[in-house]
Amino acid sequence: MANAQTYLVIIDGTEESRVALRFAAQRASHVDASVTLLHVMREPEFMPLGAVQEAIRAEAAEEGEALLAAYADEAEALAGTRPQTVLLCGEAGPTIHGYIQNEPRIRALVLATATKGSPGPLIAHFSGERIGQLPCVIITVPGGLTADRIIEIS
């Protein structure tokens, strides 16, 4: 599936990212597509001691890789294929937007809403004027969907 279209899921450790992952993995398996999991770690604050800053960055990268691996295991169990994982550093919204602009295989950005309150910072970032700037569709999955319901509708 090297040239397959891919569903991009942002992994941040929230239950919303798990809901988006479930939907994307199920949907991709039905349409012969792949899943890519993307985690954006924040750039550490500047510190005059570069070694300390590098240690903090290395620890954050390790945590990000572990998070991606755990979600990749879940996606593989759901869809039968291991997703690609990507770890980037920066501010989430602009970093994700830049990645999408430079990756033509992305079929859809899959995000899940929060179950109550505001829909979430990524949905807020990609709605409004930015939505017209993406070269793919955005799939917004209600965060309160059960695993069984996701299977039914994907």
Side-chain angles (χ1 to χ4, degrees), residues 124-136:
H125 178 84
F126 286 106
S127 60
E129 67 184 54
R130 288 183 188 96
I131 200 164
Q133 300 170 358
L134 289 176
C136 66

Side-chain angles (χ1 to χ4, degrees), residues 11-98:
I11 302 300
D12 60 7
T14 63
E15 185 55 33
E16 291 84 8
S17 63
R18 180 159 274 114
V19 169
L21 169 76
R22 287 183 193 130
F23 179 86
Q26 293 290 332
R27 185 71 194 139
S29 71
H30 294 311
V31 297
D32 197 30
S34 64
V35 175
T36 297
L37 308 179
L38 172 64
H39 176 71
V40 180
M41 59 183 207
R42 288 195 157 279
E43 188 70 50
E45 303 254 345
F46 175 75
M47 296 183 172
L49 300 172
V52 173
Q53 187 170 359
E54 275 309 306
I56 292 170
R57 185 184 179 111
E59 184 178 321
E62 237 177 75
E63 289 172 4
E65 292 289 353
L67 182 66
L68 285 168
Y71 277 75
D73 290 345
E74 186 173 337
E76 186 173 17
L78 289 167
T81 59
R82 189 126 184 116
Q84 175 186 1
T85 59
V86 177
L87 179 65
L88 298 175
C89 187
E91 187 180 338
T95 300
I96 296 163
H97 195 182

Side-chain angles (χ1 to χ4, degrees), residues 82-151:
R82 189 126 184 116
Q84 175 186 1
T85 59
V86 177
L87 179 65
L88 298 175
C89 187
E91 187 180 338
T95 300
I96 296 163
H97 195 182
Y99 179 80
I100 292 169
Q101 292 291 346
N102 292 309
E103 183 51 66
R105 296 179 329 109
I106 295 174
R107 173 181 283 183
L109 169 61
V110 182
L111 300 172
T113 65
T115 55
K116 54 184 160 179
S118 71
L122 289 178
I123 291 174
H125 178 84
F126 286 106
S127 60
E129 67 184 54
R130 288 183 188 96
I131 200 164
Q133 300 170 358
L134 289 176
C136 66
V137 298
I138 298 175
I139 298 174
T140 305
V141 182
L145 289 180
T146 64
D148 289 341
R149 183 67 179 139
I150 290 171
I151 290 168

